[in-house]
Amino acid sequence: MDSIAILDFGSQYAQIIARRVREAQVYCELFPWDAPMEKILSIAPKGFILSGGPKSVYEEGAPYIQEFIFKTGLPILGICYGMQALTYALGGQVDPSAQREYGPAEIEPAMRNTMLDEISKVWMSHGDRITRMPEGFTVLARSGNSPFAAIGDMKRKYFGVQFHPEVHHTPNGEKLLKHFVIDICGMKPNWTPASIIEESITRIRKQVGNGRVLAAVSGGVDSSVAAALVHKAIGDQLVAVFVDTGLLRKNEGEQVASAFREHLGAELLTVDAADGFLDALREVTEPEEKRRIVGEKFIRVFEEQAKQLGQPRFLVQGTIYPDVVESSAPDRNKAEKIKTHHNVGGLPEDMQFELVEPLRYLFKDEVRAVGEALGLPESLVWRQPFPGPGLTVRCLGEVTRERVSRLRAADAILIEELSKAGFLGRNAGTSQAFVVLLPVRSVGVMGDQRTYQEAAAIRAVTTEDFMTADWVRLPYDLLAKVANRIVNEVDGINRVVYDITSKPPATIEWE
Ligand code: XMP
C-alpha cells in the first residue's frame, strides 16, 4: 500500500498530524527525523510531511532534513519547524522573531486555488520565522506577523506553512493536509476499516501459518479487537483466554464472553483466578505495590495456562500505534513516572512466544472502527477504559473480598444510573465514571441507629486523551439518586462524596 512518511522533529503534535492524514483515509507512518533511509523508504512513501519542533534551525545539533529526502523528488510539506528546516536547507533565511508568536492568528491568501483556500483562522506557535524564501518559492498566504505564513514551490511541489493545520484551533486544517496527500502526492483514499481488516488478515496468516495462537483478552477494546482480528484470520487456531482476576466490574466477565460467542462465534476460555489474586494482595495497601503484585500474578497465571494448552508458539498483543511511536520518539523529555501502568495481557518479553500484533499501526479510533466492522458490539467497542490492575486501584487500603464486592455493588449502581440518564456510551460526554471505596469510616445514622462505616467517592471525568481531564458537571438530582441508592443498597457504606478535581492536579484513578 502507498503511504506518506511523517518526519517528527520533536513536535508534541506529530501524532495528531498522522491521525489527520489517516482520517483522510490515507496510510501514513511517523518516523523520527533522523531515522535511517532504508527504514523510511521501506514504506514506499509518495510524499513527506515534516512536523514542527522546539529547536531553532541554526542551533547546534538542530534536526535537519536528510539529503535523501530531496533526492527522492517527492512532494514535501513542512509545518512550522518543518517549514523552517526546508527553507534553511534550500538556501532561504530563517531568523528569530522579535517576539514569540503563540495562539490564534488570521491569514490572508496571496493566491487562489491552493491548499489554503478554505483556511483563514490558524494556530501559531513559533519563535523563529522565515525572512527570505528559497529560490523558486512564492508566497501563498500572509499574516499580520509573517509575510511568509505559507509558501510553495509549485514546480518541485515543496510547501511550507508557519501555522499548525493539524490542531483543532485551525478550522479546516485537515482539508489542507488532505489536499496535500491526495491532490499533490496523488494518494488514493483507500485506508478504510475494510481494507485494514483485509490487509491484517493477509499479514496474520502469513506470519502464523498453521501454528497455534494464544490471546489474553482483558475486556478492554484493544485486546478484544486484536483477538477478533486474529480469529477472523485463522479461526480455531486461536485460543482466547480471559483471566478472571476477581478484580473486575460487575458482570464484566460474562459480557466479554458472550460478546465473543454471539458476535464472533469464538469461544473464550475463562480462567477463574480470583482466589489467587486476593491471596497475593492480602494486607497490602501501598498503591505501587498493589499494581506490581497484580501485574506479576497475571503473568504467572497466564504462564500456567499456556503450559496447560501445550505452549502455543504465538501470542496476540493489543499494542497500538501510539505505544510504538512513544517508544521511538526523538528526545522529548521522558515523562516523570506518576504510576506504573500495567495492561492485563502486557506480558514480559522473555516469555517463549512470538508476538502477533495486529493493531501495531492503528490509532485508537481506527481500532474502534475495525472492531465495529468486525461485528463486535458497541458496548464492547465503546467501553470505558479500565485499568489493568482492576478494582485494586479503586479499593483504597486493603483489598479484601468483602471490600471488593462492596465497591463492585456501589459501582454497578453508578453505572446503571448514569447509563439510564444518558451520560455514558458513545458521545455521551462522560469518558470514564466509577466509584472509589475509601478506607475511611465516619459516623452516620440510619433508622435511628448509629452507623460507623466506610465512604465511597464518585469519579466522573470528561477527556479527549486521558492525559488531562475535567470532572463532569453531573446534575445534582442524578448525584443525589446515586448517593441515596448506594447508601441504602450497599452494606458497609454510609457516606458518598463527589470528586471535583481535574487532572492535573489530580489523576483520574485515585491510586
Ligand atoms: P490516571 O489515573 O493515570 O489514568 O490519570 C489515566 C487513564 O489510564 C487508566 N489507567 C490504566 N490503564 N493500566 C491501564 O491499562 C493501568 O495500570 C492503568 N492505570 C490507570 C485510567 O483508568 C485512565 O483511563
Side-chain angles (χ1 to χ4, degrees), residues 357-374:
E357 298 180 306
L359 313 179
R360 207 180 151 76
Y361 295 99
L362 305 188
F363 286 108
K364 192 83 172 189
D365 32 5
E366 294 173 322
V367 172
R368 291 209 163 102
V370 165
E372 281 181 335
L374 285 169

Side-chain angles (χ1 to χ4, degrees), residues 291 339-343 385 387-389 432 466 503 507-509:
R291 285 175 169 269
K339 40 181 107 164
T340 313
H341 274 213
H342 295 290
N343 281 318
Q432 210 174 357
F466 297 90
K503 170 185 180 174
T507 53
I508 296 175
E509 305 285 349

Side-chain angles (χ1 to χ4, degrees), residues 291 338-344 384-390 393-394 431-432 434 459 461 463 465-469 503 506-511:
R291 285 175 169 269
I338 309 295
K339 40 181 107 164
T340 313
H341 274 213
H342 295 290
N343 281 318
V344 167
Q384 327 176 10
F386 184 67
V393 299
R394 298 177 182 170
S431 315
Q432 210 174 357
F434 51 85
R459 183 75 161 140
V461 296
T463 171
D465 55 8
F466 297 90
M467 308 288 283
T468 62
K503 170 185 180 174
T507 53
I508 296 175
E509 305 285 349
W510 279 40
E511 283 196 340

Side-chain angles (χ1 to χ4, degrees), residues 17 132 209 265 268 281 332 376 396 414 428 450:
I17 302 174
R132 195 187 70 240
L268 190 64
L281 285 164
R332 211 161 296 144
L376 287 170
L396 275 53
L414 173 74
R450 176 187 196 267

Side-chain angles (χ1 to χ4, degrees), residues 135-414:
E135 215 157 295
F137 278 74
T138 46
V139 177
L140 303 182
R142 302 185 178 90
S143 77
N145 253 327
S146 37
F148 308 112
I151 58 174
D153 175 339
M154 308 305 172
K155 214 147 131 216
R156 288 184 286 184
K157 298 188 180 172
Y158 291 164
F159 299 89
V161 291
Q162 188 57 77
F163 57 90
H164 289 273
E166 69 276 24
V167 303
H168 282 301
H169 310 293
T170 298
N172 293 326
E174 74 285 356
K175 291 189 181 154
L176 183 154
L177 292 167
K178 187 173 174 182
H179 183 107
F180 176 71
V181 296
I182 293 182
D183 300 328
I184 293 172
C185 302
M187 294 287 296
K188 286 191 194 64
N190 54 11
W191 181 250
T192 60
S195 74
I196 297 172
I197 292 172
E198 198 180 316
E199 213 204 338
S200 307
I201 288 177
T202 313
R203 194 144 20 104
I204 294 164
R205 285 189 183 146
K206 194 164 149 215
Q207 184 187 0
V208 308
N210 53 16
R212 287 175 65 229
V213 182
L214 190 59
V217 174
S218 67
V221 183
D222 302 342
S223 68
S224 301
V225 174
L229 254 180
V230 175
H231 183 260
K232 175 116 182 158
I234 58 167
D236 292 344
Q237 275 167 258
L238 172 77
V239 192
V241 176
F242 179 77
V243 176
D244 185 347
T245 56
L247 304 167
L248 301 167
R249 295 179 123 168
K250 194 173 165 190
N251 297 332
E252 196 137 48
E254 297 91 273
Q255 277 170 13
V256 176
S258 79
F260 266 70
R261 204 171 301 126
E262 286 159 29
H263 297 270
L264 295 178
E267 274 312 310
L268 190 64
L269 188 67
T270 302
V271 183
D272 179 1
D275 288 340
F277 277 89
L278 287 166
D279 282 349
L281 285 164
R282 191 171 293 151
E283 290 178 16
V284 181
T285 55
E286 206 281 311
E288 280 295 292
E289 181 64 3
K290 286 181 179 175
R291 285 175 169 269
R292 194 194 60 73
I293 289 173
V294 176
E296 162 81 21
K297 183 77 192 161
F298 187 86
I299 292 163
R300 296 298 150 244
V301 171
F302 198 75
E303 265 174 352
E304 177 55 33
Q305 203 54 41
K307 211 188 294 165
Q308 284 182 23
L309 290 166
Q311 211 67 55
R313 176 162 156 217
F314 298 95
L315 178 73
V316 181
Q317 292 260 278
T319 321
I320 67 173
Y321 198 45
D323 308 332
V324 177
V325 176
E326 284 306 322
S327 60
S328 69
D331 57 348
R332 211 161 296 144
N333 293 339
K334 286 268 170 281
E336 193 185 338
K337 180 147 125 198
I338 309 295
K339 40 181 107 164
T340 313
H341 274 213
H342 295 290
N343 281 318
V344 167
L347 299 165
E349 282 173 14
D350 62 357
M351 283 187 83
Q352 306 288 309
F353 288 110
E354 222 175 278
L355 296 183
V356 180
E357 298 180 306
L359 313 179
R360 207 180 151 76
Y361 295 99
L362 305 188
F363 286 108
K364 192 83 172 189
D365 32 5
E366 294 173 322
V367 172
R368 291 209 163 102
V370 165
E372 281 181 335
L374 285 169
L376 287 170
E378 193 177 314
S379 58
L380 192 63
V381 171
W382 290 94
R383 166 161 294 187
Q384 327 176 10
F386 184 67
L391 293 180
T392 41
V393 299
R394 298 177 182 170
C395 187
L396 275 53
E398 194 183 352
V399 184
T400 62
R401 181 169 272 111
E402 189 195 4
R403 293 191 73 230
V404 171
S405 53
R406 184 175 296 155
L407 168 59
R408 195 181 279 128
D411 185 72
I413 291 171
L414 173 74

